[in-house]
Amino acid sequence: MHKVLSAIILLAAIVLAASLASAQDVANGQKAYTAKCASCHGPDGKGQTAAGKTTKVRDFSLDEVKKESDAVWTEIVVKGKNKMPAYDKKLSDTEVKDVVAYIRTLVK
């Protein structure tokens, strides 16, 4: 019984640590998104800014965009797409991952 309880407590601690790390990742992603992305994509990711309309950015809430994998979104952030510049020299790998995690929260 003691081993089962210890295992449950350990599992709960791991889940809690993962969720706290995830929340921190999203918060970091929000900072980077606000600094680098929101001027075109907007605070809600719908692209309804003057720059977003001019450059025809994609609305993150569209089903076809939401269905794209994190790997696709990461590649777009890193390499750029159409008029969007590449951010490989402006954001670290961790920041890119965090931005993608934050964008996912916008499209739920």
Side-chain angles (χ1 to χ4, degrees):
M1 179 72 169
H2 179 68
K3 287 183 181 182
V4 171
L5 183 58
S6 294
I8 291 171
I9 291 171
L10 179 61
L11 181 60
I14 291 169
V15 168
L16 178 61
S19 67
L20 290 176
S22 178
Q24 185 61 47
D25 294 347
V26 170
N28 290 340
Q30 182 179 16
K31 283 184 197 175
Y33 178 90
T34 300
K36 305 284 187 191
C37 314
S39 62
C40 292
H41 290 281
D44 59 2
K46 294 187 182 224
Q48 296 301 307
T49 64
K53 290 175 184 176
T54 299
T55 58
K56 299 179 181 164
V57 299
R58 300 182 317 155
D59 179 345
F60 295 141
S61 69
L62 296 175
D63 285 339
E64 70 233 26
V65 177
K66 289 194 291 188
K67 289 178 186 176
E68 293 175 342
S69 68
D70 288 357
V72 168
W73 287 11
T74 297
E75 184 172 343
I76 292 169
V77 173
V78 170
K79 294 182 179 178
K81 184 174 182 178
N82 300 327
K83 294 182 181 182
M84 181 181 148
Y87 282 89
D88 60 336
K89 305 258 189 287
K90 298 174 184 167
L91 295 172
S92 69
D93 291 345
T94 300
E95 288 172 315
V96 170
K97 178 185 70 69
D98 293 348
V99 165
V100 170
Y102 176 68
I103 292 169
R104 289 282 181 207
T105 69
L106 295 176
V107 299
K108 287 186 177 185

